[in-house]
């Protein structure tokens, strides 16, 4: 079974940046979701195949950037101006087709998650 592996999480101060990485699957949309302690998993960003279209949650738009390297088969989430409310486990996911989506039901394969912590 295909599993995705995220990397790049950590503990950073508010206002700092982090870049998350995940092995991408060719010809499919890739997405990032996050789940804070005690909350539901929520959409963060999505990028189509081969990468012409992106979609962001309102809470991260302008601060986070999703991108993909189709040669290295890697998807990235560049997170700038991090806030305490960005604290969560971040999950990489592979979509069921090549179209951007903010619905978790449109994603078939998930990673195990990487923790991002931004203390207040």
């Amino acid at each position: 079974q295909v599993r995705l592996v995220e990397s790049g999480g950590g503990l950073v101060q508010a206002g700092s940046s982090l870049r998350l990485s995940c092995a991408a699957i060719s010809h499919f949309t890739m997405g990032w979701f996050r789940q804070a302690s005690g909350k539901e998993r929520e959409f963060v960003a999505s990028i189509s195949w081969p990468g012409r279209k992106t979609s962001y949650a309102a809470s991260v738009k302008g601060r986070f950037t999703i991108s993909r390297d189709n040669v290295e088969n890697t998807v990235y989430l560049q997170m700038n101006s991090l806030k305490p409310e960005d604290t969560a486990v971040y999950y990489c996911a592979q979509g069921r087709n090549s179209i951007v989506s903010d619905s978790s039901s449109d994603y078939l394969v998930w990673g195990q998650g990487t923790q991002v912590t931004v203390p207040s």
Side-chain angles (χ1 to χ4, degrees):
Q1 183 178 359
V2 176
R3 296 287 299 273
L4 303 176
V5 179
E6 304 91 341
S7 62
L11 188 155
V12 295
Q13 297 303 309
S16 299
S17 299
L18 275 177
R19 189 177 76 162
L20 305 183
S21 301
C22 172
I25 309 299
S26 297
H27 304 290
F28 290 97
T29 287
M30 298 297 296
W32 288 96
F33 289 75
R34 67 186 182 186
Q35 187 168 19
S37 180
K39 295 188 177 181
E40 297 287 318
R41 186 175 298 187
E42 65 175 2
F43 169 75
V44 176
S46 175
I47 186 166
S48 66
W49 169 264
R52 295 188 183 93
K53 293 188 177 181
T54 58
S55 178
Y56 296 93
S59 59
V60 307
K61 200 167 187 178
R63 299 188 298 122
F64 290 12
T65 302
I66 188 171
S67 61
R68 65 190 303 163
D69 182 330
N70 296 330
V71 174
E72 297 295 328
N73 290 325
T74 304
V75 61
Y76 302 99
L77 185 68
Q78 177 67 43
M79 305 186 294
N80 298 330
S81 302
L82 283 161
K83 304 175 180 180
E85 50 264 43
D86 294 319
T87 295
V89 177
Y90 283 71
Y91 297 91
C92 174
Q94 174 219 319
R96 63 176 68 244
N97 54 38
S98 62
I99 303 170
V100 292
S101 172
D102 62 1
S103 173
S104 60
S105 63
D106 287 331
Y107 292 83
L108 299 178
V109 183
W110 295 80
Q112 82 289 348
T114 186
Q115 178 72 45
V116 172
T117 302
V118 187
S120 56

